[in-house]
């Protein structure tokens, strides 16, 4: 664990320049707006350690797969989010020297991410090799109001010299991914232009032929007036810039306003994209930096009004939770159903920017509770639109008749993952997609979703499960062989309890959904059945499977077994491990991990979390007490599920310990990997730890129930939650809990079993 950043309730603050931590800071200070994202790379040239990252949502490259031993069914490629053309460059040449923080003495360095306003600021004093000093104060944001615009205000003051200085302001598509299987560059040039004051480069991705137009305009101002400058245009392959020569006068600040427009052919016709880029630049210039910023801040203000969590008495926890909410809100805005949430969001290349089960299992409840309904709905529609590809994916693996296997990793619906034990076997992800439909409908009450989209997806998934199980003559039960559960530290196991459970649950839920749609909208129902050739016989088979599924368990301990044979393992606790053996995935051979009892992330407990109403509290407790001590939490998705279950069981200290591991995971670089990017999807888990964990929020029969406690380290906490067109504010202190209906129709809620009906602006309270 590192302490790179100062604690503050609304800001992330880095003081002093530490090149060693630069990549961590680049991740943490990343900005985005759902449409584009930018790591906190410097505007100036930087020759030190850096991971350059500009990202455009939905734009990817299919990098040809590289594997040791090819297996039938592997995908040909891994879709990768691209390091896109850079729009941030403002480079200085001062008396033949580049302003490059790796080559200068750097003093008074400070970087601040203001989460309330989505503004990144950086200031420093740099002493160049010849002793010339400049003072810089740079600010930038990716506009949340106009999501194709990025803006920079770069103020530079020569401290001890006057001289003519060359400033290169550019857009650069000659960029590369760090993660490239064959070291290729993924962009080709389509067109470029550079005139005085404006540059546009249109580049296209190889193979996928996405076009991205990146343009910039700028103003250079001194003392409120436009500064006279001589400008030379620069054009080379995939690059356009302006070389501006200005006179620096000691003590006099020069401000460069750079406006960038980033447009993708996902949203603009290719033949018009450069022209549209110019129009967006015109708009940005006409609006001006201050107004663009004011509009951007207004969107953040609205967002925070919907979803803030306050924690009184613990600044580190306050900063941690806001950082998680901030990152999630700038990663996915729900504006576009073609987009999703990569595990690293817009903060790095790892995981290819692709969609995992993380979205359905972890992120969906966050967006349900913090944004208008369409945001979560669009996450579901994304999978609906990929149904045909999921059926194709099933077919590739030998499944028939419309059986859908959703990919483990995808951008466009095709499977990208190519480790057989995950691609072919980690099929529980299919269940999470079904569960998300259930979760969305029960939270929003939008049953219509089943008619329009949901049922068809459920049928495809159920068809897969029905073919994936087989009847065991020996057990006289259905079994599921050769799977990998959520715990990826076990592969190719038989009867993973969680997978068997979620498969059975899906079959049952799909049958209920069939009945619902049949009754609600018979004509839509019939149309669907005819289109996908569904017969009731299938549902009969599903019923038989549901009633006769095998679930491994140990009756003497009263627990479910993670899979057949789990008890043959040498059972140990994480506390028995030597510190130098951790993390296991970096210190142990893979076969040793597989043979050990140690668990990467919630597995049986994931099932008890999803389906808690189906188990009594003692069952949850016995399983938690058995599995948690063996869990190493080497997936960032793990601690939050444990925190929620611990809270439910009254293990308050454990709940808090697990919460801390998730809340400041990236801020404190807990897993030593923040430099690759932030753990965006697990951030939703942090939010869940507060809402479902500490506040004990549950939905029962369409009404919200709260069963809160307060960690003893906190004085009070409060949060806002969106629920069925209302905003509700809940506050918990050491002695009482209170609820305010901020907006919307009257709402009945339950505090520790007591029900209250709230009108708009009404507050109710109850002792804790
Ligand atoms: C976890 C998976 C998760 C993936 C992406 C892996 O380490 O085991 O459950 O989907 O990371 O976050």
């Amino acid at each position: 664990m590192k302490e790179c950043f100062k604690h503050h309730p609304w800001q992330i603050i880095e003081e002093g320049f530490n090149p060693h931590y630069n990549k961590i800071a680049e991740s943490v200070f990343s900005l985005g707006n759902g449409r584009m994202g930018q790591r906190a790379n410097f505007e100036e040239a930087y020759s030190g350690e850096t991971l350059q990252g500009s990202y455009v949502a939905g734009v990817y490259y299919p990098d040809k797969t590289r594997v040791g031993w090819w297996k039938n069914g592997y995908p040909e490629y891994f879709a990768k989010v691209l390091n896109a053309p850079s729009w941030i460059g403002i480079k200085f040449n001062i008396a033949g020297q580049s302003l490059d923080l790796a080559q200068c003495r750097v003093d008074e360095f400070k970087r601040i991410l203001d989460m309330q306003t989505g503004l990144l600021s950086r200031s420093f004093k740099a002493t160049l090799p010849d002793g010339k000093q400049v003072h810089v104060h740079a600010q930038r944001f990716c506009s949340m109001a106009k999501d194709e615009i990025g803006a920079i205000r770069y103020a530079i003051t020569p401290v001890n010299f006057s001289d003519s200085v060359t400033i290169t302001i550019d857009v650069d598509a000659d960029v590369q991914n760090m993660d490239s299987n064959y070291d290729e560059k993924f962009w080709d040039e389509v067109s470029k232009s550079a005139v005085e004051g404006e540059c546009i480069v249109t580049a296209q991705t190889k193979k996928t032929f996405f076009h991205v137009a990146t343009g910039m305009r700028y103003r250079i101002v001194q003392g409120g007036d436009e500064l006279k400058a001589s400008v030379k245009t620069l054009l080379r392959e995939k690059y356009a810039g302006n070389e501006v020569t200005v006179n620096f006068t000691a003590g006099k600040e020069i401000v460069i306003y750079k406006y960038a427009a980033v447009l993708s052919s996902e949203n603009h016709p290719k033949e018009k994209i450069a022209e549209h880029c110019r129009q967006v630049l015109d708009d940005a210039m006409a609006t001006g930096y201050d107004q663009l910023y004011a509009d951007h801040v207004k969107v953040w203000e609205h967002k925070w009004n919907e979803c803030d969590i306050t924690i009184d008495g613990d600044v580190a926890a306050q900063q941690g939770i806001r950082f998680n909410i901030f990152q999630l809100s700038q990663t996915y805005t729900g504006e576009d159903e073609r987009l999703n949430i990569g595990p690293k969001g817009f903060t790095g290349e790892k995981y290819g920017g692709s969609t995992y089960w993380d979205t359905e299992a972890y992120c969906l409840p966050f967006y349900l509770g913090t944004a208008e309904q369409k945001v979560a709905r669009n996450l579901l529609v994304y999978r609906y639109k990929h149904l045909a590809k999921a059926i194709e994916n099933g077919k590739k693996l030998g499944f028939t008749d419309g059986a859908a296997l959703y990919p483990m990793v995808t951008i466009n619906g095709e499977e990208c993952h190519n480790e057989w034990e995950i691609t072919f076997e980690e099929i529980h992800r299919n269940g999470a997609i079904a569960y998300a439909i259930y979760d969305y409908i029960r939270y929003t009450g939008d049953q219509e979703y089943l008619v329009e989209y949901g049922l068809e997806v459920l049928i495809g998934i159920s068809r897969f499960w029905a073919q994936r199980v087989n009847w065991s003559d020996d057990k006289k039960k259905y079994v599921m062989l050769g799977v990998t559960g959520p715990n990826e530290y076990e592969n190719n196991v038989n009867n993973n309890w969680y997978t068997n459970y979620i498969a059975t649950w899906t079959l049952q839920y799909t049958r209920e959904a069939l009945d619902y749609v049949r009754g609600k909208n018979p004509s839509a129902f019939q149309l669907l059945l005819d289109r996908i050739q569904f017969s009731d016989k299938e549902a009969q088979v599903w019923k038989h499977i549901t009633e006769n599924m095998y679930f491994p368990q140990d009756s003497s301990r009263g627990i479910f077994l993670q899979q057949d044979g789990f008890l043959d393992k040498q059972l140990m606790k994480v506390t028995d491990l030597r510190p130098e053996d951790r993390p296991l995935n970096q210190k142990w051979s893979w076969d040793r991990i597989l043979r050990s009892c140690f668990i990467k992330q919630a597995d049986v407990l994931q099932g008890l979390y999803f389906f808690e109403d189906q188990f009594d509290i003692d069952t949850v407790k016995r399983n938690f007490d058995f599995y948690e001590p063996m869990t190493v939490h080497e997936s960032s998705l793990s601690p939050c599920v444990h925190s929620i279950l611990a809270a439910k069981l009254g293990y308050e200290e454990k709940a808090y310990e697990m919460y801390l591991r998730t809340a400041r995971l990236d801020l404190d670089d807990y897993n030593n990997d923040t430099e690759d990017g932030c753990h965006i999807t697990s951030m939703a888990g942090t939010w869940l730890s507060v809402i479902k964990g500490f506040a004990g929020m549950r939905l029962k029969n369409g009404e919200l129930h709260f069963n809160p406690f307060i960690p003893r380290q906190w004085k009070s906490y409060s949060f806002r939650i969106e629920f069925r067109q209302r905003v509700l504010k809940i506050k918990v202190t050491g002695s009482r809990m209170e609820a305010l209906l901020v907006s919307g129709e009257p709402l009945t809620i339950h505090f520790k079993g007591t029900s209250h009906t709230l009108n708009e602006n009404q507050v109710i309270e109850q002792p804790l």
Side-chain angles (χ1 to χ4, degrees):
M1 187 172 116
K2 303 183 186 75
E3 292 224 347
C4 311
F5 310 112
K6 291 192 79 157
H7 295 169
H8 185 286
W10 275 111
Q11 298 181 341
I12 313 296
I13 303 167
E14 181 191 23
E15 275 178 353
F17 182 51
N18 187 342
H20 188 60
Y21 288 163
N22 187 43
K23 287 205 276 182
I24 299 174
E26 285 178 342
S27 301
V28 165
F29 290 98
S30 292
L31 294 176
N33 61 15
R35 187 72 64 195
M36 64 182 194
Q38 177 61 51
R39 280 172 63 85
N41 308 127
F42 300 154
E43 285 86 0
E44 326 83 56
Y46 185 62
S47 57
E49 277 284 298
T50 171
L51 171 63
Q52 294 290 306
S54 307
Y55 307 105
V56 183
V59 173
Y60 65 91
Y61 176 77
D63 203 10
K64 196 164 158 28
T65 296
R66 215 173 176 146
V67 284
W69 205 277
W70 190 264
K71 295 197 168 48
N72 260 351
Y74 270 174
E76 300 281 326
Y77 69 85
F78 194 110
K80 283 182 179 154
V81 65
L82 288 176
N83 179 25
S86 167
W87 53 270
I88 61 171
I90 303 178
K91 292 150 197 150
F92 295 85
N93 189 310
I94 302 171
Q97 308 151 96
S98 168
L99 173 60
D100 170 349
L101 296 198
Q103 309 294 331
C104 298
R105 202 185 81 211
V106 183
D107 296 299
E108 299 168 34
F109 183 91
K110 194 165 183 177
R111 195 158 21 184
I112 300 176
L113 174 65
D114 188 325
M115 299 182 282
Q116 200 162 14
T117 56
L119 183 74
L120 174 63
S121 315
R122 184 168 58 103
S123 51
F124 59 86
K125 197 184 255 180
T127 309
L128 292 141
D130 72 352
K132 290 196 172 62
Q133 281 189 335
V134 290
H135 205 173
V136 170
H137 189 95
Q139 294 185 324
R140 72 175 183 236
F141 58 94
C142 290
S143 171
M144 291 287 277
K146 293 182 176 166
D147 60 13
E148 294 175 322
I149 294 178
I152 302 172
R153 183 187 188 279
Y154 195 100
I156 182 165
T157 311
V159 177
N160 58 355
F161 70 98
S162 300
D163 203 345
S164 100
V165 169
T166 312
I167 311 171
T168 305
I169 311 173
D170 57 15
V171 290
D172 187 0
D174 193 16
V175 292
Q176 209 164 351
N177 266 51
M178 180 197 67
D179 177 20
S180 154
N181 289 344
Y182 297 88
D183 285 336
E184 312 163 74
K185 289 191 174 174
F186 298 147
W187 295 96
D188 283 330
E189 179 184 305
V190 178
S191 67
K192 59 180 179 251
S193 65
V195 292
E196 190 174 324
E198 182 197 278
C199 298
I200 298 176
V201 176
T202 304
Q204 78 173 346
T205 55
K206 291 180 181 161
K207 292 188 197 164
T208 35
F209 308 113
F210 291 107
H211 284 202
V212 168
T214 311
M216 70 89 184
R217 292 182 70 177
Y218 62 89
R219 286 178 64 218
I220 304 180
V221 174
Q222 188 163 48
D225 297 324
E226 217 77 31
L227 194 71
K228 288 216 173 11
S230 78
V231 178
K232 195 169 123 197
T233 54
L234 305 172
L235 280 175
R236 37 175 210 267
E237 211 202 332
K238 300 187 233 178
Y239 176 93
N242 271 195
E243 197 179 274
V244 185
T245 304
V246 293
N247 286 324
F248 272 27
T249 311
K252 281 205 160 174
E253 184 187 70
I254 284 181
V255 183
I256 302 155
Y257 293 97
K258 181 174 183 183
Y259 302 94
V262 179
L263 276 66
S264 111
S265 55
E266 286 291 85
N267 307 306
H268 298 270
K270 287 180 184 171
E271 60 289 356
K272 294 236 154 103
I273 199 165
E275 188 187 322
H276 288 189
C277 184
R278 188 162 293 121
Q279 286 161 8
V280 176
L281 289 171
D282 284 346
D283 175 29
M285 280 291 272
T287 311
Y289 184 91
D290 292 344
Q291 190 57 45
L292 282 172
Y293 177 60
D295 297 342
H296 165 75
V297 170
K298 218 178 254 167
V299 178
W300 272 114
E301 203 178 289
H302 176 70
K303 283 217 172 274
W304 285 114
N305 272 337
E306 280 175 329
C307 65
D308 192 20
I309 295 183
T310 64
I311 297 170
D312 189 20
D314 186 342
V315 180
Q318 174 69 82
Q319 184 185 41
I321 191 70
R322 285 207 173 114
F323 180 65
N324 289 263
I325 295 171
F326 175 78
Q327 285 291 356
L328 284 161
S329 304
Q330 65 169 2
T331 300
Y332 183 75
T333 58
E335 292 299 321
D336 186 339
E337 78 215 11
R338 295 166 302 175
L339 303 179
N340 210 283
I341 307 143
K344 298 276 164 196
F346 292 124
T347 69
E349 296 172 11
K350 211 174 162 197
Y351 296 109
S354 300
T355 309
Y356 286 65
W357 73 304
D358 306 25
T359 292
E360 285 77 18
Y362 294 85
C363 300
L364 184 83
F366 169 81
Y367 294 104
L368 276 172
T370 60
E372 51 183 331
Q373 190 168 317
K374 80 157 198 232
V375 175
R377 193 175 206 267
N378 274 348
L379 286 175
L380 264 56
V381 172
Y382 172 91
R383 294 292 195 176
Y384 174 80
K385 299 239 156 126
H386 289 177
L387 179 60
K389 290 222 165 111
I391 292 172
E392 212 177 284
N393 188 38
K395 232 190 224 167
K396 255 200 220 161
L397 304 189
F399 298 91
T400 59
D401 303 309
L405 175 60
Y406 277 92
M408 184 69 194
V409 177
T410 192
I411 284 192
N412 66 357
E414 286 163 19
E415 178 63 89
C416 289
H417 206 284
N418 51 29
E419 287 170 284
W420 65 270
E421 59 277 29
I422 308 238
T423 312
F424 309 147
E425 297 203 331
E426 203 176 332
I427 50 179
H428 67 82
R429 76 239 185 187
N430 234 18
I433 290 162
Y435 184 82
I437 294 173
Y438 159 78
D439 210 18
Y440 165 80
I441 291 175
R442 72 172 168 161
Y443 195 85
T444 59
D446 178 15
Q447 293 278 0
E448 215 23 53
Y449 186 81
L450 267 188
V451 182
E452 223 179 321
Y453 301 114
L455 179 61
E456 194 177 343
V457 171
L458 290 171
I459 291 175
I461 295 174
S462 286
R463 283 174 160 172
F464 170 81
W465 289 132
Q467 293 175 38
R468 188 61 167 76
V469 299
N470 67 276
W471 177 256
S472 157
D473 272 341
D474 181 43
K475 291 191 164 66
K476 302 281 178 274
K477 291 272 183 195
Y478 288 95
V479 292
M480 201 167 346
L481 309 180
V483 304
T484 295
N487 169 30
E488 292 175 343
Y489 288 179
E490 290 272 9
N491 299 149
N492 201 34
V493 301
N494 293 336
N495 295 310
N496 170 256
W497 180 86
Y498 171 76
T499 309
N500 284 13
Y501 198 90
I502 203 160
T504 310
W505 173 87
T506 310
L507 294 172
Q508 172 64 26
Y509 180 55
T510 308
R511 286 177 46 237
E512 289 165 19
L514 281 164
D515 288 345
Y516 175 81
V517 178
R518 184 185 287 122
K520 184 82 186 164
N521 194 335
S523 59
F525 183 70
Q526 202 48 52
L527 273 177
L528 173 66
L529 297 205
D530 292 347
R531 183 159 57 81
I532 63 172
Q533 293 169 4
F534 180 85
S535 97
D536 235 20
K537 272 197 206 128
E538 284 187 66
Q540 288 310 314
V541 175
W542 297 352
K543 182 164 185 283
H544 196 252
I545 297 171
T546 313
E547 288 164 357
N548 294 283
M549 190 71 180
Y550 167 72
F551 295 104
Q553 44 194 308
D554 175 47
S555 33
S556 64
R557 290 179 173 86
I559 56 162
F560 304 118
L561 288 184
Q562 193 173 270
Q563 71 261 348
D564 285 350
F566 187 82
L567 291 177
D568 292 335
K569 290 179 173 255
Q570 186 187 352
L571 299 183
M572 291 166 70
K573 293 184 172 167
V574 175
T575 48
D576 298 333
L577 285 166
R578 298 173 315 163
E580 55 271 32
D581 286 334
R582 308 284 309 279
L584 297 183
N585 63 20
Q586 286 170 25
K587 302 293 173 59
W588 281 12
S589 71
W590 190 241
D591 83 294
R592 191 174 174 196
I593 291 179
L594 293 178
R595 283 183 282 114
S596 85
C597 69
F598 295 111
I599 300 171
K600 181 182 182 189
Q601 66 199 91
D603 193 301
V604 168
L605 298 183
Q606 183 79 35
L608 296 179
Y609 159 63
F610 274 169
F611 303 111
E612 62 171 0
D613 290 342
Q614 298 172 24
F615 303 97
D616 61 61
I617 189 96
D618 289 338
T619 303
V620 178
K621 182 173 178 327
R622 283 192 304 272
N623 281 280
F624 187 93
D625 293 348
F626 181 73
Y627 286 110
E628 195 280 329
M630 285 186 263
T631 306
V632 285
H633 305 292
E634 287 179 11
S635 160
S636 63
L637 299 176
S638 187
C640 61
V641 174
H642 289 81
S643 179
I644 296 167
L645 288 178
K648 178 186 168 88
L649 294 171
Y651 298 161
E652 296 182 3
E653 290 297 322
K654 190 80 198 169
Y656 189 67
E657 175 199 327
M658 289 289 117
Y659 165 79
L660 281 188
R661 273 183 82 143
T662 129
R664 297 189 56 86
L665 182 73
D666 291 313
L667 289 179
D668 296 335
D669 195 18
Y670 212 99
N671 284 356
N672 238 340
D673 59 359
T674 302
E675 61 180 35
D676 300 333
C678 297
H679 299 79
I680 301 295
T681 48
S682 82
M683 291 183 178
T686 310
W687 181 87
L688 284 166
S689 304
V690 176
I691 310 295
K692 292 197 180 179
F694 303 157
M697 185 179 98
R698 296 293 186 277
L699 191 68
K700 290 183 187 153
N701 305 319
E703 291 184 348
L704 292 176
H705 292 241
F706 298 89
N707 189 17
F709 80 92
I710 180 160
R712 70 182 162 73
Q713 294 81 351
W714 298 357
K715 286 195 187 120
S716 72
Y717 65 99
S718 75
F719 58 90
R720 284 169 180 254
I721 188 130
E722 282 254 342
F723 179 65
R724 302 192 180 189
Q725 288 77 50
R726 285 110 165 167
V727 177
L728 185 67
K729 184 176 175 193
I730 302 289
K731 180 166 185 185
V732 182
T733 70
S735 59
R736 66 189 164 80
M737 47 199 165
E738 82 187 32
L740 159 70
L741 184 60
V742 179
S743 62
E745 299 285 303
L747 180 71
T748 300
I749 62 164
H750 306 261
F751 267 169
K752 287 195 179 279
T754 307
S755 57
H756 305 269
T757 299
L758 283 154
N759 293 315
E760 199 171 20
N761 288 324
Q762 189 187 345
V763 182
I764 53 109
E765 54 174 82
Q766 189 179 308
L768 199 59

